[in-house]
């Protein structure tokens, strides 16, 4: 079955370390997204990518980096510059821009990664 | 930038009753898409219903329906015959027509009482 796989489910980071969260999709979707969710809050967009080798910053990109070398993969690196990284991270994908009939396709979400600081 | 506001942090409903969750948004665009997502304790995001702004008819999916008021920029979700499995966080979301930028509200936690 097609879907989005995020790994690991739980991740711990020491102070000053960079960590990378994995997101893989086999839905042949062009667009991929990373969101952060804090307790009692909604989703905030970190980065998104509409096509391979291209990505744009979202609302809270500082302290994060991404790459999109393959259509299927959109890893997120939480760098040491992110001072408050403890959160739940959700990856999503959607069909890209194209004929209007495709634009209403909803995002498919992974199961998320919970990142905590040791 | 577009913003999405959910003014009800928490709502509760009696099983089998009807509940309406509110959502308003701010945009200068005329074409866009609106969604309601459900996030149960498992944290997975599940699409509940979607609405294209160019359609006047309100979307309906079984027990879920929306009241889309484009002029008022309002997009409320009505859940009829509430079930215990409906208990979750519900997020309203806005997506631009011309790009893939998607914005979410802060969410409403729905409790269903037996």
């Amino acid at each position: 079955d097609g879907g989005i796989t995020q790994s690991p489910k739980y991740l711990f980071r020491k102070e000053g370390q960079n960590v990378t969260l994995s997101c893989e999709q086999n839905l042949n979707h062009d667009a991929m997204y990373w969101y952060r969710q804090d307790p009692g809050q909604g989703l905030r967009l970190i980065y998104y990518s509409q096509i391979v080798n291209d990505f744009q910053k979202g609302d809270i990109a500082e302290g994060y980096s991404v790459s999109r070398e393959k259509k299927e993969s959109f890893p997120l690196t939480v760098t040491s510059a992110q001072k408050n990284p403890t959160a739940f991270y959700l990856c999503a994908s959607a069909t890209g821009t194209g004929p209007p009939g495709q634009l209403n396709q909803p995002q498919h979400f992974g199961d998320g990664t919970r990142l905590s600081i040791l | 930038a577009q913003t999405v506001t959910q003014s009800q942090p928490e709502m509760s409903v009696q099983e089998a009753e009807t509940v309406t969750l509110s959502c308003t948004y701010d945009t200068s665009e005329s074409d866009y898409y609106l969604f309601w997502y459900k996030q149960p304790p498992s944290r997975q995001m599940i699409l509940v219903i979607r609405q294209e702004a160019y359609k006047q008819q309100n979307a309906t999916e079984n027990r879920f329906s929306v009241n889309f008021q484009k002029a008022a920029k309002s997009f409320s979700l009505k859940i009829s015959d509430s079930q215990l499995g409906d208990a979750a966080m519900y997020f309203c979301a806005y997506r631009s027509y011309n790009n893939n930028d998607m914005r979410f509200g802060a969410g409403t936690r729905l409790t269903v009482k037996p």
Side-chain angles (χ1 to χ4, degrees), chain A residues 33 59 103-105 114, chain B residues 43 52 95 97 100 103:
Chain A
Y33 310 74
D59 296 327
L103 286 177
N104 66 346
Q105 292 306 307
R114 179 166 296 285
Chain B
R43 305 303 293 272
E52 293 89 339
R95 179 175 172 179
Y97 182 83
N100 287 315
R103 304 284 165 160

Side-chain angles (χ1 to χ4, degrees), chain A residues 19-103:
Chain A
V19 291
T20 298
L21 284 60
S22 170
C23 178
E24 304 278 332
Q25 55 99 358
N26 60 3
L27 299 165
N28 199 34
H29 284 171
D30 288 314
M32 296 187 74
Y33 310 74
W34 274 106
Y35 293 95
R36 170 179 171 143
Q37 186 177 26
D38 293 284
Q41 297 189 33
L43 302 181
R44 291 185 291 168
L45 184 64
I46 305 173
Y47 269 99
Y48 69 103
S49 168
Q50 299 192 58
I51 197 169
V52 173
N53 292 324
D54 182 64
F55 46 83
Q56 286 83 40
K57 293 182 178 179
D59 296 327
I60 55 167
E62 185 175 352
Y64 299 96
S65 66
V66 294
S67 63
R68 187 84 187 278
E69 298 176 2
K70 298 186 300 181
K71 188 175 185 178
E72 303 80 19
S73 179
F74 191 42
L76 173 74
T77 296
V78 184
T79 74
S80 57
Q82 173 48 244
K83 298 306 178 187
N84 185 23
T86 297
F88 186 69
Y89 291 86
L90 278 164
C91 178
S93 70
T95 56
T97 55
Q102 294 183 11
L103 286 177

Side-chain angles (χ1 to χ4, degrees), chain B residues 60-107:
Chain B
T60 299
E61 289 287 340
N62 300 314
R63 298 183 296 106
F64 298 88
S65 62
V66 299
N67 182 7
F68 173 49
Q69 301 290 329
K70 191 172 184 180
K73 296 179 183 176
S74 171
F75 183 61
S76 59
L77 174 69
K78 185 172 82 171
I79 305 174
S80 305
D81 185 25
S82 297
Q83 301 175 359
L84 296 178
D86 294 335
M89 281 288 286
Y90 285 82
F91 292 97
C92 179
Y94 170 103
R95 179 175 172 179
S96 295
Y97 182 83
N98 292 314
N99 62 55
N100 287 315
D101 194 6
M102 193 138 168
R103 304 284 165 160
F104 286 80

Side-chain angles (χ1 to χ4, degrees), chain B residues 35-51:
Chain B
F35 305 89
W36 276 99
Y37 281 89
K38 170 184 176 181
Q39 187 181 43
S42 66
R43 305 303 293 272
Q44 224 180 357
M45 292 287 279
I46 302 166
L47 178 67
V48 174
I49 199 166
R50 63 182 178 227
Q51 174 83 42

